[in-house]
Amino acid sequence: MLNISIVNIVCTIINLLILYFVFKKFLFGRVDEILAKRQEEVDSATATADKAIAEAMAQKSMYEEKISLADEEKETILADIKKQGYDEYDRIVTDARKKGDQIVKEARHKAMAEAERAKEEYAGQMRDMVIDAASKIAATDRDKADDYKLYDKFINEAKAVKNE
Amino acid sequence: MKEMLNELLMEDKTLIHMPFGGGYFDIYASVVVSWIILAVVIVLVLILTKDLKVHNISKRQAALESVVMFLRNLISTIIGEEAGGYTDYIVTVLVFIGLCNMVGLFGFTPPTMDLNVTIALSVMSIVLVEAAGIMKKGAGGWLKSFAHPMAVIAPMNVLELVIRPLSLCMRLFGNILGATVIMELIKHVVPVILPAALSLYFDLFDGAIQAYVFCFLTSLYIKEAVE
């Protein structure tokens, strides 16, 4: 039991080394290979996911930019349209005012002409009346009282004509 | 009882007489048993590691992976990162000693009950420890490390070269021998039931503990050597 034999010690050492190399090559080697592959896959999957996220973010910012551009465009279009609308409104109002002015002017013109005409008519009537009165006065033999009566009559007639 | 112990301790361990040159050299039973263990383990490893897959792993592969990871973690936490390269060897030794201690369950004499096997294991351990020190520090640094932390204790450090493997070898040998002797005695006193229950302790638990202690100390020495 206690005797020591170099041959057996060497045999055991050789056994141990054989076991070590078998373990190293087959057990640890194969298991490590699988673990490394798995790690690689996980890494590549993570990398792909990161890339996809980065792409998505880039697209998102691009779309946000586009949307903000669209907003700006909308504003300018709205502003243009408003401006056009105001211009049109101004134009229409100005036209209307011009037309109105013209109508008023024409009306005034017409009224003035009418008034002129009426005045001339009055003048004509007045002239006729005066001639009539003068001829009546001339035709009648008269005194002062008659004159006064005549004047009053003339004035009354003239008033009546005016009030017609 | 004395006869029984005599028979157990002084039995002729020779199993094979090999003719060599003019004489013979003897191969002991312990070596033959460890060949059997080796053969079984190698076949088992080859079967278990056949077509491993990355995805959709079988239960066999899952068990294998977790056992390998568990053993490696067990050792690498002791040995530290710096000497991580020696983990695989220590795990191999752990498996080998563990199986050698437990082979009593199958009716073999544990190879670790033979002093020659434990001497071989501890020689390998001390060679590995010193080799790790030399590789890390270079031959000069390794020699200087004997005078660390003080020159006065250099003789102690040199003595450790012998004491460490001796204690490793004797601890393992003594524990397994003691356990086997106690088991034999118990078997003589109570032949049924009790030996089965105690064999759980002496063969399985003590065997595993002793394997762990051997590897724990070797790892610790290696860690110390590369620091």
Side-chain angles (χ1 to χ4, degrees), chain B:
Chain B
M1 191 170 279
K2 205 169 186 182
E3 279 171 22
M4 189 206 79
L5 282 180
N6 259 341
E7 188 194 323
L8 195 67
L9 294 177
M10 297 303 164
E11 67 177 336
D12 187 15
K13 296 186 291 186
T14 308
L15 202 75
I16 303 171
H17 271 300
M18 283 265 277
F20 181 76
Y24 289 93
F25 62 65
D26 301 335
I27 301 287
Y28 290 168
S30 56
V31 175
V32 177
V33 172
S34 50
W35 283 343
I36 295 171
I37 294 171
L38 233 65
V40 171
V41 170
I42 289 172
V43 168
L44 218 64
V45 163
L46 288 182
I47 291 171
L48 285 177
T49 59
K50 222 175 100 185
D51 50 64
L52 297 180
K53 287 174 232 142
V54 178
H55 296 295
N56 294 329
I57 59 173
S58 55
K59 276 184 184 165
R60 163 180 69 90
Q61 190 186 338
L64 179 78
E65 276 178 19
S66 51
V67 166
V68 168
M69 299 307 279
F70 168 74
L71 291 177
R72 273 186 164 171
N73 272 340
L74 192 71
I75 299 302
S76 60
T77 48
I78 306 166
I79 205 166
E81 261 175 48
E82 233 173 317
Y86 301 100
T87 311
D88 286 358
Y89 172 76
I90 309 279
V91 171
T92 310
V93 172
L94 182 69
V95 171
F96 180 71
I97 298 178
L99 288 174
C100 283
N101 292 348
M102 291 170 195
V103 86
L105 286 176
F106 303 102
F108 295 105
T109 313
T112 36
M113 215 181 88
D114 182 1
L115 199 54
N116 294 297
V117 172
T118 60
I119 288 174
L121 286 166
S122 48
V123 165
M124 283 296 286
S125 283
I126 198 68
V127 167
L128 195 70
V129 169
E130 301 311 328
I134 293 173
M135 290 228 276
K136 176 77 188 175
K137 300 170 182 166
W142 175 69
L143 283 174
K144 264 183 213 158
S145 73
F146 282 106
H148 187 80
M150 282 179 287
V152 185
I153 59 164
M156 303 283 186
N157 282 336
V158 174
L159 267 182
E160 269 198 342
L161 271 183
V162 182
I163 294 167
R164 277 177 172 177
L166 191 67
S167 70
L168 278 178
C169 131
M170 286 304 175
R171 180 184 302 111
L172 185 56
F173 167 69
N175 268 290
I176 304 305
L177 178 69
T180 313
V181 168
I182 289 172
M183 280 305 298
E184 287 297 321
L185 292 176
I186 288 168
K187 273 183 207 161
H188 266 264
V189 179
V190 188
V192 286
I193 302 177
L194 192 61
L198 285 174
S199 143
L200 270 183
Y201 176 79
F202 285 118
D203 282 331
L204 285 178
F205 184 69
D206 194 39
I209 287 287
Q210 288 312 317
Y212 177 70
V213 165
F214 190 97
C215 293
F216 175 78
L217 288 173
T218 308
S219 312
L220 225 57
Y221 295 156
I222 292 178
K223 189 187 180 189
E224 211 180 278
V226 298
E227 257 173 7

Side-chain angles (χ1 to χ4, degrees), chain A:
Chain A
M1 178 57 59
L2 294 175
N3 48 347
I4 291 167
S5 138
I6 301 293
V7 173
N8 285 283
I9 291 176
V10 172
C11 278
T12 304
I13 289 177
I14 290 169
N15 282 352
L16 210 55
L17 290 178
I18 290 171
L19 191 66
Y20 173 61
F21 285 117
V22 169
F23 266 34
K24 184 90 186 157
K25 181 144 173 55
F26 293 105
L27 187 63
F28 298 128
R30 285 178 177 176
V31 170
D32 279 350
E33 199 181 321
I34 294 295
L35 291 181
K37 264 187 205 161
R38 207 170 286 159
Q39 187 63 42
E40 208 173 279
E41 243 169 62
V42 169
D43 285 350
S44 73
T46 313
T48 317
D50 284 349
K51 209 173 138 198
I53 286 172
E55 266 175 23
M57 292 303 267
Q59 272 186 349
K60 192 185 157 204
S61 62
M62 200 178 79
Y63 285 129
E64 270 172 0
E65 204 176 313
K66 264 189 189 169
I67 285 171
S68 69
L69 275 180
D71 272 351
E72 264 172 41
E73 209 169 330
K74 189 183 82 184
E75 290 296 325
T76 40
I77 288 171
L78 267 179
D80 277 0
I81 286 173
K82 254 182 207 167
K83 197 165 165 282
Q84 273 179 22
Y86 282 129
D87 285 355
E88 190 77 3
Y89 168 81
D90 278 351
R91 199 177 58 73
I92 288 168
V93 168
T94 322
D95 277 4
R97 199 169 283 157
K98 243 187 231 167
K99 231 173 233 172
D101 281 354
Q102 202 169 346
I103 288 168
V104 168
K105 219 171 166 186
E106 273 173 14
R108 201 170 282 158
H109 205 72
K110 234 180 226 170
M112 265 164 77
E114 192 76 16
E116 200 70 28
R117 206 173 49 77
K119 221 195 257 171
E120 270 173 22
E121 207 172 303
Y122 288 144
Q125 280 179 1
M126 187 79 85
R127 200 175 51 224
D128 288 349
M129 247 188 293
V130 170
I131 292 168
D132 191 30
S135 59
K136 269 179 188 164
I137 293 167
T140 52
D141 184 28
R142 64 191 198 278
D143 53 10
K144 219 163 185 154
D146 284 341
D147 281 351
Y148 280 125
K149 248 192 229 165
L150 262 178
Y151 288 145
D152 285 343
K153 198 185 166 201
F154 172 71
I155 288 166
N156 282 336
E157 271 182 12
K159 262 182 195 166
V161 168
K162 205 177 183 183
N163 285 341
E164 259 177 13

